[in-house]
Each structure stands twice: as C-alpha cells, then as structure tokens.
C-alpha cells in the first residue's frame, strides 16, 4: 500500500537541511554508529535499548527510527511507524527475529504525528497493552483523525487564502483534507497519560519525561540518566529541522516561541553527554551544540524576515528566506504554517504587525 498519494504533509521539514549552509552547520556532532539497521532488523545502541527503522512513503524523508526497550519479559516500544502494510510486515519480522518473540508490554508515543503513532492501535490491540503518551498528543490525534471524511472547512480556506494561496493551491487543500486519519491505525479508545517530569520505570531503569512544545502540542522526550540516553523524538533532530507550524485551527498560535523555550529548557534539564536517539537521521552526541544551532538558526531567520518586512509581505512571499529548496504543492501547507509561525513570533515580540486587505489576504510589515 502506497499512501504517499493521499498523505497531507510529512510534518517534518526536510526543506531546510542545514548541511549546505556553513552558518547552520551543527558544530561538533558525532555519530557513533556507522550504519542504520535495515527495516525488520534491530541494533543495540545502549544496554537494553534496540534501534529499529521503519520506511516512510514520504517525499524527502524515507525513514523513522523507533526504539525497543527491554522491559522484564517483554518490550516497551517507543514510537511505531506510519500505518502501511510495509510497516506491519517489518514489525512482524522484527518480533520473529531480533525481538525474540517476546511480548510488547506497552507502547509509548513521543507525539501524535502519523509516522510516530500510526501503528500504535495495531500494536496495542495485538498485544493487549496500553498506549502511553501525553494528554494533548492523544486528544489532538483523536481530533485530527475525526476530520477524515469531512469537507475542508471554511476556516481552513480562509486561513490559507489569507496566507496568499491561489485557487489551485486551495483546491489541493480541499482534495487532501482529512488525509491524516488514513495514515493512522484506529487509535486505542483509552490511554495512560504521561506528564512532564514524571519518572517512568522501564526494565528496572528510570526514564524522566521531558515535555516540549512547538513541533507538536505536548511532545514527549525520555531521558535515562543512568544510561546517559535521551530519546528525543522530533524535538531534537541532528541533520534536518522539525516543522514548527501554525494551523487553521489556531491561527494566532505562537508555536515558535514555545519551540525556542522548549529547546532552551532541554539544554537546562538534560546534560550534554547523552547519546541522543532522534526519530530521524542517526543517533548522535553533541546535544547542547545542536540545541544552540537550532535556536540561533531560527533567530537568524526571524531577524532576516523582520528586515524584509520593511515592505509589506504575505506569508507565501517569505519562503525564500525560510527554506533552501523550492516549495512544491505537497509542501505548501507545511511551508505556509512555518512561515506564519515565524511571523506570529515577530508579532508576539511586537516587531511586526498584520493587516487584512479587502480580498482577505494578510500583509505583514515590520514595526
Ligand atoms: Zn513529528
């Protein structure tokens, strides 16, 4: 089953890979593992921590990393892959092989994007175990899945028209609306809530919940001081940057401010010497250098945007500053969301203002 034709957006922005920009180059990151495990196989990356990879049918991003933690007689899984027939096959091979037919005790999801939570319902039903995640991730996922089968709402059309979309782009949005649910197996009807700073006992070790915001509403990272390991989800990625977007459901949100606060908080709470296990790319060392690079990258883009707003601009006029690649129709929602996230952050700092014209298009200028 190839879902790429129906997926709305990949929720990650491979458009601004930093490798080609010396100003963005992550200083001093090291990658201790020379190769990733093929789908269906597993590689031990710390004591009792296995690395698995699932393919993604998404342009520009072909995999997600998931993790299996030894937990008594079985496994606690962290993230699950997107709902596809391929992902199910690879899980089955992994259980029959590297995971030694031991049962899944629970499934923890870092956040509600389909590549992370997509197979949670399938796994928890098969093993009769629970989904653990934060409340906003669970509830938001239920909300987005419930959009499947609905028509694109007026609020959404108004939002993207205000951003500067033309009729072709709006038609694309209408046609794709509700696609989120197609990539997510029916969620469990109940879950176990995890809260920030909670300590989870997994396989005799303590893992600390570190909640971040901005990429998703209440993103869960897990830090094990004893192992010096941080499972970072999409909150910290080494080679690409996570999408930080404003969506039509909350047009005045300021997720970039939340994102920057979260990155700074992780720098306070998690020591630099951890092995970071991210959801995309490879495990790495150099957490604090990466956090600093992410923060300064966004600050530089904010400053550049503010300069450009000397003359009024629409959200779609700013892609050149934000993204290194051209923005295809498939990426337009994510790119627009990220552009508005930067603009709303400038407005939040009182550095920009927004005005609607007679056609309902929003123009931003510096102040
Ligand atoms: Zn994500």
């Amino acid at each position: 089953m190839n879902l790429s034709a129906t997926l709305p957006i990949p929720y990650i922005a491979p458009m601004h890979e930093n490798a080609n920009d010396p100003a963005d180059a992550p200083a001093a990151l090291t990658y201790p593992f020379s190769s990733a495990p093929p789908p269906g196989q597993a590689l031990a990356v710390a004591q009792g921590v296995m690395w698995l990879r699932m393919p993604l049918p998404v342009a520009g991003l072909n995999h997600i990393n998931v993790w299996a933690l030894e937990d008594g007689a079985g496994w606690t899984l962290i993230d699950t892959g997107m709902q596809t027939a391929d992902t199910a096959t690879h899980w089955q091979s992994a259980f029959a092989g590297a995971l030694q037919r031991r049962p899944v005790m629970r499934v923890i999801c870092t956040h509600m994007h389909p590549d992370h939570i997509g197979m949670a319902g399938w796994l928890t039903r098969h093993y009769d175990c629970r989904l653990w995640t934060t409340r906003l991730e669970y509830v938001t996922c239920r909300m987005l899945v419930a959009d499947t089968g609905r028509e694109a709402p007026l609020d959404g059309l108004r939002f993207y028209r205000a951003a500067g979309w033309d009729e072709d782009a709006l038609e694309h949005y209408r046609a794709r609306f509700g696609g989120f649910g197609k990539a997510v197996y029916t969620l469990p009807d109940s879950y176990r809530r995890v809260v920030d700073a909670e300590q989870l006992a997994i396989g005799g070790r303590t893992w600390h919940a570190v909640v971040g915001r901005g990429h998703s509403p209440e993103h869960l990272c897990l830090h094990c001081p004893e192992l010096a390991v941080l499972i970072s989800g999409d909150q910290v990625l080494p080679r690409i940057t996570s999408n930080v977007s404003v969506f039509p459901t909350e047009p005045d949100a300021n997720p970039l401010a939340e994102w920057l606060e979260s990155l700074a908080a992780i720098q306070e709470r998690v020591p630099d010497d951890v092995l970071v296990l991210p959801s995309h790319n490879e495990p790495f060392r150099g957490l604090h250098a990466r956090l600093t690079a992410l923060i300064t990258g966004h600050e530089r883009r904010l400053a550049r945007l503010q300069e450009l707003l000397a003359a009024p601009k629409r959200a779609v006029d700013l892609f050149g500053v934000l993204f290194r690649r051209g923005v295809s129709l498939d990426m337009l929602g994510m790119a627009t969301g990220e552009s508005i996230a930067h603009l709303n952050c400038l407005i939040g700092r009182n550095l920009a203002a927004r005005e609607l014209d007679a056609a309902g298009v929003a123009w931003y200028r510096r102040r």
Side-chain angles (χ1 to χ4, degrees), residues 311-324:
K313 300 277 189 308
R314 305 166 302 172
V316 295
D317 298 328
L318 302 167
F319 294 161
V321 176
L322 295 170
F323 308 115
R324 227 163 297 300

Side-chain angles (χ1 to χ4, degrees), residues 11 16 87 112 207 263 290 319 350 358:
Y11 297 97
H16 37 155
T87 311
M112 52 89 188
W207 291 77
L263 298 179
R290 183 57 181 151
F319 294 161
N350 224 357

